[in-house]
Amino acid sequence: MHSHQLAVFMARPTIYNNELCERIIVRMAGGDSLRSICRDDSFPAMSTVLLWVVDGKHPEFSEQYTRAREAQGYFYADNILETASMAASGEIDPQSAKVIIDAYKWTAERNAPKAYGIRQSKIEHTGANGGPIEHKVEVSAADKFAEILNGLKE
């Protein structure tokens, strides 16, 4: 480069803007990870995007990010069947398919827990009609008398 030429470098965006955020959300909802999106220099660093999610200054983006993560869960769940079919047809090794399916399943469970999360049965800790649990111990007079006699023998 000659001394009279200026170098023009494109820096990663760091200032929040709606258009950029919409592009991030669309790609995430389509299954791209935030890490893969942010590898592209036309997008902000991953740390910048995550800061926008949690800083409290961009509640709309934070909500859209949460919904995009849920959509990713659906995307990964859809990929499970496709991967299983590929293993069944011999396109990929069954052991590799298992690793891939486990990763998809783990991600789907966490990103869309209402649809794919591990369900736990609901346990109620109440008594009759929603009241407190009653604990009754009934001791007959004969049992009490026998207990006293045994105590005297010792």
Side-chain angles (χ1 to χ4, degrees):
M1 179 179 301
H2 299 319
S3 60
H4 65 279
Q5 293 176 322
L6 294 175
V8 177
F9 296 102
M10 290 295 294
R12 286 182 169 273
T14 57
I15 309 249
Y16 181 88
N17 99 36
N18 289 332
E19 181 185 320
L20 181 61
C21 289
E22 185 176 325
R23 288 175 44 214
I24 292 169
I25 296 303
V26 167
R27 286 193 51 190
M28 284 179 60
D32 289 347
S33 70
L34 182 59
R35 183 175 306 282
S36 68
I37 294 167
C38 293
R39 279 190 195 115
D40 181 337
D41 288 339
S42 67
F43 286 93
M46 189 171 160
S47 58
T48 300
V49 176
L50 291 174
L51 184 61
W52 293 343
V53 171
V54 300
D55 68 5
K57 297 177 186 175
H58 312 289
E60 185 176 306
F61 177 68
S62 186
E63 174 62 30
Q64 289 173 337
Y65 179 88
T66 300
R67 288 196 313 262
R69 281 284 187 203
E70 184 177 358
Q72 276 182 330
Y74 293 113
F75 173 84
Y76 289 122
D78 284 347
N79 282 344
I80 290 171
L81 292 176
E82 186 175 333
T83 304
S85 295
M86 291 170 71
S89 69
E91 291 177 61
I92 59 174
D93 170 63
Q95 207 49 37
S96 297
K98 181 179 177 359
V99 171
I100 294 166
I101 288 170
D102 285 348
Y104 284 154
K105 190 166 73 169
W106 185 90
T107 305
E109 287 172 352
R110 276 136 191 92
N111 288 13
K114 289 179 185 173
Y116 302 112
I118 298 168
R119 290 180 181 27
Q120 296 182 3
S121 55
K122 185 178 177 183
I123 300 172
E124 287 193 36
H125 297 282
T126 59
N129 300 319
I133 297 173
E134 292 183 31
H135 299 280
K136 291 182 182 178
V137 178
E138 294 183 19
V139 179
S140 70
D143 290 337
K144 188 66 175 168
F145 185 67
E147 183 183 315
I148 292 170
L149 286 179
N150 285 334
L152 292 176
K153 290 180 185 177
E154 295 174 359

